[in-house]
Every structure is written in C-alpha cells, then in structure tokens.
Amino acid sequence: MSDTAKTERAFIPVGIAVLTVSDSRTLETDTSGAFLASRIEEAGHLLRDRQIVTDDAAKIRELVVQWSKDPAIDVVITTGGTGFTGRDVTPDALEPVFDKRMDGFSVIFHQMSYAKIGTSTIQSRATAGLINQTFVFVLPGSGGACRDAWDGILAQQLDYRHRPCNFVEIMPRLDEHLKRKI
C-alpha cells in the first residue's frame, strides 16, 4: 500500500484488551502480553485492559465475554493456550461463544508462521471470531507468534487507513442484524 493511500483517511483509534492465558506468567514476566500492549499503544490505539488468567476455560470465557459487552472495548487479543497439551484450552473456551468465526485469520496466520517455523505451525490452534460484535483474536503465547499476528495482520486490519478494506470501517455495522425488523 502506498503512503498516499494511508493519508487519505484519518486514523481512528480502537479500544483493545489483552488477555494472557498462563499458569506461570505474571504481568512482570509476560513478554508476549507486554509486546502486544506496546504495539497497541505505539499504533495509537487505546489499551483498555490487560490481564492474566490461568489456563481455565471458564475463567477465560467469563473475562472475554465480559470485555465483549464493554462498549469501550472493540477488540480482544488473547495470547497463550492455543497448543495441544491438556492445559491448552483457549480456543475451546472461546470458539463455542463466537457469533461468527473468522477462518481467514487462521489461514493467513499459519501461512506467515509456516514461512518462519515450517511445519511446526500446525501445533497452534490460533483462531478468531466475533463475540457480541467484538473482534476476538486468539494467538499463541510465543513472542514470535504475537509479533507475526500483530505486525503481519492486525496492525493493518485495525487501521482505518488500510485499503482496500479493514475491520475498523465495518465496526459500526457489526450489529446491524440486531437493528433489523424481521
């Protein structure tokens, strides 16, 4: 995209919450959550909340659904819990409450990841969808995965200036089905 295309529109900041799913990390040791928070603020968005919860499906679901009902939060990004071990439950916690799945996110994420780590990308169940008209992105816990997802996908899609389309421009329309008289 040319620089000219980006300057045709004004930047619109969105509210973003970051959830790290981990049994062992703290806010002080959570480098992936810190990376995402930093990138969010550097881009000009609003970091609305940042928390850590254990690998507990009910706790993960409860917090993300709570955030999805907060009008100040447009996007939730989770990091951690996307693998195949017994404690990796983030996709299992959130996919059942997705109103809509975003299959393309996983496809693009895995394509980018494959270029860097090869077939090891299949060990991630990164996913995304909508919950209560809030975008939810479920990322692996590794710093590299968070960097790939933010720098390669989310930074562009959460920038209103990105052409030909982006998530910010459709945010006002996410609830139009609720306004329709059937």
Side-chain angles (χ1 to χ4, degrees), residues 105-116:
F105 174 81
S106 181
V107 170
I108 297 300
F109 175 81
H110 285 294
Q111 285 178 341
M112 293 173 52
S113 185
Y114 181 79
K116 294 182 179 181

Side-chain angles (χ1 to χ4, degrees), residues 74-77 94-110 125-131 133-139 149 153-154 156-158 166-168 170-171 174:
D74 304 298
V75 177
V76 173
I77 303 173
L94 297 176
E95 285 182 332
V97 293
F98 282 173
D99 298 312
K100 293 186 179 185
R101 289 179 51 95
M102 188 185 309
D103 296 326
F105 174 81
S106 181
V107 170
I108 297 300
F109 175 81
H110 285 294
R125 297 182 297 144
T127 187
L130 282 173
I131 300 175
Q133 294 78 57
T134 300
F135 289 104
V136 178
F137 300 95
V138 180
L139 310 180
I153 303 170
L154 299 177
Q156 292 83 25
Q157 283 299 299
L158 297 176
N166 60 75
F167 291 136
V168 179
I170 64 171
M171 284 179 179
L174 295 176

Side-chain angles (χ1 to χ4, degrees), residues 13-163:
V14 297
I16 304 175
V18 174
L19 174 62
T20 297
V21 177
S22 175
D23 289 334
S24 60
R25 294 182 189 176
T26 65
L27 284 175
E28 294 75 31
T29 63
D30 174 28
T31 56
S32 293
F35 168 83
L36 290 167
S38 174
R39 282 293 209 267
I40 288 163
E41 291 176 330
E42 287 170 10
H45 295 298
L46 308 168
L47 181 63
R48 297 294 191 187
D49 202 352
R50 178 176 168 220
Q51 293 190 36
I52 296 178
V53 299
T54 59
D55 294 273
D56 179 300
K59 289 178 183 176
I60 296 164
R61 184 179 306 116
E62 179 182 2
L63 182 55
V64 172
V65 169
Q66 175 187 329
W67 279 343
S68 76
K69 293 177 181 177
D70 183 337
I73 297 174
D74 304 298
V75 177
V76 173
I77 303 173
T78 73
T79 175
T82 64
F84 285 93
T85 71
R87 299 291 293 156
D88 291 325
V89 297
T90 310
D92 309 294
L94 297 176
E95 285 182 332
V97 293
F98 282 173
D99 298 312
K100 293 186 179 185
R101 289 179 51 95
M102 188 185 309
D103 296 326
F105 174 81
S106 181
V107 170
I108 297 300
F109 175 81
H110 285 294
Q111 285 178 341
M112 293 173 52
S113 185
Y114 181 79
K116 294 182 179 181
I117 63 170
T119 60
S120 294
T121 190
I122 65 171
Q123 293 190 30
S124 167
R125 297 182 297 144
T127 187
L130 282 173
I131 300 175
N132 296 319
Q133 294 78 57
T134 300
F135 289 104
V136 178
F137 300 95
V138 180
L139 310 180
S142 78
C146 290
R147 187 178 306 92
D148 290 347
W150 181 266
D151 293 347
I153 303 170
L154 299 177
Q156 292 83 25
Q157 283 299 299
L158 297 176
D159 189 333
Y160 180 68
R161 301 167 297 181
H162 180 77
R163 302 285 187 140

